[in-house]
Amino acid sequence: MTHQLMAQEEWRQVKNDAFNVGEKLQYRFYYDAVLTGKVTAGTGVMEVKKTGKKYNDRDVVHIDTEGQSKGMFNWFFKVHDQFDSYIDIKSIAPHYFERRTREGGYKKDDEYHFDHINKTVTTRKQTKPIPKYTQDFISAIYFARTFNTDTLEIGDMLPVNFFLDDSVYSSAIIFDGKEIINIEMGKFRCLRFKPGMATGEVFSKKYPMTLWVTDDKNHIPILGVSAVVVGNVKAELIEYEGLANPLTSLIEKFD
């Protein structure tokens, strides 16, 4: 048996009913604090695109993600981030990730080449060992959407490993219950999660974020709230198209 055939057989199979090519999600980011109120800080788009590229002779889809600051935030902290993740159609594991970050005076460009068979990732600086099927942080979102949530109980933890800034983070997403929430788009039945994050100067707690995803087969993130040192940062879904399934979690659409 050739090495290529052996490698093909070693890949995991992930059942994905949550998304497909053509899905496009658009978000608005807010900064919310007592002194300022609710201020639009920027917008973001996440789109699943078809691509003719192959990695390790395997078919992939392209997750094209872009975020940028808007309005007054450009005056003192301009942001324009671009992230591209090429993920395996069958395993939902990343093969290649490219990052272009522009945040104020901070600039970061990098690319990750994942080798899941040999358990390594190669950046522009080095090659490092990783656990098999380590995600980049964009593909991690889409991988988490494939999880079966039918039997989840409050407190259940869903483990996800992801690679960022030359380090592997072993994180866990805690299921925090179900909730009906209102956003400007409408009223939704949601699953509530608390994703684990690395602590530091911005985030003071290990689980500073609450994330609401639609309680249907799509598992679309529709609202995220992060507690930062002063106030909250919120990401809210404002438009969607090309969903893989009917949006049955939508109770009432607002005009």
Side-chain angles (χ1 to χ4, degrees):
M1 183 179 291
T2 66
H3 174 74
Q4 181 178 346
L5 287 175
M6 290 177 64
Q8 292 287 347
E9 289 178 359
E10 290 177 20
W11 285 85
R12 72 182 178 190
Q13 300 285 319
V14 172
K15 181 177 172 57
N16 172 29
D17 295 324
F19 63 89
N20 57 21
V21 169
E23 181 189 87
K24 185 176 182 179
L25 308 175
Q26 299 188 55
Y27 294 88
R28 180 179 292 127
F29 298 97
Y30 302 97
Y31 177 71
D32 196 0
V34 174
L35 295 178
T36 64
K38 191 176 181 181
V39 179
T40 297
T43 57
V45 178
M46 304 179 72
E47 188 172 1
V48 185
K49 294 182 175 181
K50 184 177 180 179
T51 176
K53 294 183 178 180
K54 285 194 174 189
Y55 291 88
N56 301 312
D57 201 32
R58 293 179 64 87
D59 294 323
V60 300
V61 293
H62 175 199
I63 310 296
D64 184 357
T65 306
E66 184 174 6
Q68 55 188 341
S69 54
K70 294 288 186 181
M72 61 175 289
F73 275 82
N74 280 327
W75 299 349
F76 60 91
F77 196 77
K78 188 173 184 177
V79 173
H80 190 178
D81 293 340
Q82 177 74 43
F83 308 108
D84 295 277
S85 182
Y86 292 83
I87 65 173
D88 194 273
I89 289 177
K90 292 184 178 180
S91 71
I92 318 297
H95 289 277
Y96 175 72
F97 174 80
E98 186 174 5
R99 168 188 184 182
R100 294 178 296 281
T101 300
R102 306 290 184 272
E103 297 176 356
Y106 175 76
K107 177 181 177 181
K108 176 77 172 181
D109 292 337
D110 208 347
E111 51 191 316
Y112 310 154
H113 298 266
F114 291 89
D115 183 342
H116 296 286
I117 302 302
N118 294 306
K119 302 179 184 178
T120 63
V121 60
T122 301
T123 71
R124 292 184 179 180
K125 295 181 179 178
Q126 59 187 319
T127 296
K128 298 193 68 172
I130 57 171
K132 196 172 186 179
Y133 304 126
T134 294
Q135 310 286 145
D136 60 71
F137 72 93
I138 296 298
S139 69
I141 297 170
Y142 286 82
F143 174 56
R145 288 176 61 187
T146 68
F147 291 163
N148 184 354
T149 60
D150 293 342
T151 59
L152 282 181
E153 298 182 359
I154 293 177
D156 283 352
M157 301 180 72
L158 307 172
V160 178
N161 292 323
F162 67 94
F163 185 82
L164 179 66
D165 290 337
D166 299 319
S167 297
V168 176
Y169 294 91
S170 295
S171 184
I173 304 170
I174 298 177
F175 178 57
D176 199 40
K178 295 186 177 184
E179 184 177 359
I180 294 176
I181 66 164
N182 293 337
I183 59 175
E184 290 187 10
M185 181 180 292
K187 180 185 292 186
F188 291 83
R189 284 188 298 272
C190 290
L191 306 170
R192 187 175 62 243
F193 294 93
K194 290 188 175 295
M197 300 183 71
T199 57
E201 295 181 358
V202 176
F203 300 107
S204 57
K205 299 178 180 178
K206 187 176 181 181
Y207 292 93
M209 175 184 284
T210 302
L211 180 67
W212 289 264
V213 305
T214 57
D215 188 8
D216 54 33
K217 289 184 177 181
N218 301 292
H219 293 159
I220 302 171
I222 66 166
L223 180 66
V225 179
S226 293
V228 294
V229 174
V230 179
N232 293 302
V233 175
K234 299 180 179 180
E236 182 177 315
L237 183 73
I238 57 173
E239 290 185 34
Y240 63 86
E241 62 182 83
L243 302 185
N245 309 281
L247 194 63
T248 57
S249 59
L250 178 61
I251 300 171
E252 179 182 359
K253 190 170 184 178
F254 301 152
D255 295 330

